[in-house]
Amino acid sequence: MDEEGAAQITCPALAQRAAVTHPIHCSDAPRAHNKKGGGVPPSPLASRVSQLPTLPGRRLRAMPAIPTAPAPGPARILLARHSRLPVFSPSPSPCSSHHQLPTHLLRLPLRHRAAAMSAEARASESPVAPPAHPTYDLKAVIALALSEDAGDRGDVSCLATIPSDVEAEATFIAKADGVIAGISLADMIFNQVDPSLKVQWFESDGNFVHKGFQFGKVHGCARSIIVAERVVLNFMQRMSGIATLTKAMSDAARPACILETRKTAPGLRLVDKWAVLIGGGKNHRLGLFDMVMIKDNHISVAGGIANAMRSVDQFLEKEKLALPVEVETRTIEEVKDVLKYAAENKTSLTRIMLDNMVVPLPNGDVDVSMLKDAVQLINGKFETEASGNVTIDTVKKIGETGVTYISSGALTHSVKALDISLKIDTELALQVGRRTNRA
């Protein structure tokens, strides 16, 4: 491309904050091979992708539109050589014409099969929406993740090895058993990197997958796929790890409900709490603004539980705020103090936290007798929440005490990511995965 063909792309989410634009000169990228100009020849894999036969008349699910992003072009479906499932066909226009990727972004992925889920079927499942937050900018978080990866030069490996007009197809492979989460977020990331990418999923957020299962694929400009790859996987692996543990704890805790806490990764509060919802848990307060939570330090400074509760009730009435109110208790005596105040005063209290009333025993078991006594003392007057010493091994016994909620910081602060990969050469990836017991 000559100098007139140079493109300039601005990330809307970043531009709002820093008004930064990223100039791209396509002449900086390797040229595709042609008879007249020479250049870097396309890889055999790229050639095979572009030569696959098309199956007209069908449509793939396009990624959800994000404001300010151009609508993706129509997609056609290819007939897979090794599978009964459809795969993505290249769009009529080459990568270089449908979307010029910023030079400071770049990287590659894979392809394959599974029981494909139609767009209609996935739409009817009503994907889990992220929690509503008044100030959290999810697109800005995505932009920051892409920017920290790209630095000031972009993907130099991609620029050096992959011609700008090469298209590829990459497949998502689960390398461990678990609950998939982050599919909707992955759609947003791919869209933000390159709206022309076509993504197809065979599973939905919240579905369980087994090691070696291929649950989605993406087709389009190879450079765009590779740029998005690591950011997509970083989010999906963390979210899937949170969702997997949440699902296990939620099943064991019934009839109690599992909550996370504010012990989330800085900057990823909404993402972490979204994963909890996908895993079947419920959200505790999103931050300091949506619930009054009278904790031990508040009580110490206020001069006791009654003083702290009285101050909260007066504040809410003065400010004309209707917010849920929770108070933390650590002993049976403090529970009695709360109930005494509530019996003698009009209060906005909605929930009592029973903190560290689960006592670990030397044999590895836990004693929940104090927790059970507290729940019986409250007798349904308020919601109850057990906190402290909550693990996958103890949560069933805690849930049997009759508490309304069980909160666990470990859901988000000690998460083990679910191993997921995105590969272009699927067969080789599976071969290696089987060799290392990860497929």
Side-chain angles (χ1 to χ4, degrees), residues 287-427:
L288 301 173
F289 61 92
D290 57 334
M291 180 184 204
V292 176
M293 191 164 176
I294 310 170
K295 294 179 65 66
D296 51 1
N297 284 335
H298 301 110
I299 293 168
S300 297
V301 174
I305 282 182
N307 287 345
M309 293 179 66
R310 185 174 295 105
S311 296
V312 167
D313 287 331
Q314 291 171 352
F315 171 81
L316 293 177
E317 183 177 4
K318 178 183 176 183
E319 299 296 327
K320 295 181 172 54
L321 292 174
L323 292 174
V325 176
E326 179 171 11
V327 62
E328 177 181 357
T329 61
R330 296 158 292 180
T331 65
I332 294 295
E333 288 69 29
E334 288 186 333
V335 173
K336 290 178 179 178
D337 288 343
V338 170
L339 295 176
K340 182 176 185 295
Y341 173 86
E344 296 173 354
N345 300 273
K346 179 182 177 182
T347 180
S348 298
L349 182 67
T350 53
R351 187 185 305 173
I352 301 175
M353 175 184 284
L354 308 170
D355 191 43
N356 286 312
M357 295 188 186
V358 176
V359 182
L361 299 175
N363 63 0
D365 198 2
V366 288
D367 179 1
V368 296
S369 58
M370 183 188 298
L371 176 64
K372 193 170 184 179
D373 289 346
V375 170
Q376 291 175 348
L377 191 62
I378 296 167
N379 194 28
K381 296 182 181 71
F382 302 98
E383 296 174 344
T384 52
E385 176 186 333
S387 176
N389 295 309
V390 178
T391 69
I392 189 62
D393 297 317
T394 65
V395 70
K396 184 177 188 299
K397 196 167 185 178
I398 296 171
E400 291 171 347
T401 63
V403 292
T404 317
Y405 299 104
I406 303 173
S407 58
S408 170
L411 290 178
T412 54
H413 71 55
S414 301
V415 59
K416 179 182 177 182
L418 186 70
D419 199 357
I420 301 170
S421 64
L422 183 60
K423 299 295 181 184
I424 289 174
D425 192 337
T426 310
E427 297 304 327

Side-chain angles (χ1 to χ4, degrees), residues 69-88:
R76 291 175 299 161
I77 293 183
L78 300 176
L79 186 61
R81 292 186 301 163
H82 302 103
S83 171
R84 64 185 182 279
L85 301 175
V87 293
F88 300 96

Side-chain angles (χ1 to χ4, degrees), residues 205-261:
D205 277 332
N207 287 4
F208 190 88
V209 296
H210 291 284
K211 179 172 63 177
F213 190 77
Q214 300 165 51
F215 61 90
K217 62 179 65 177
V218 55
H219 177 93
C221 180
R223 288 183 174 181
S224 298
I225 294 173
I226 293 178
V227 166
E229 174 202 6
R230 177 44 51 196
V231 173
V232 166
L233 290 177
N234 284 350
F235 278 117
M236 288 194 73
Q237 288 181 141
R238 179 177 177 84
M239 291 182 71
S240 297
I242 292 172
T244 298
L245 181 56
T246 301
K247 173 63 175 172
M249 293 187 76
S250 293
D251 288 347
R254 289 193 179 98
C257 296
I258 285 291
L259 307 172
E260 83 296 87
T261 67

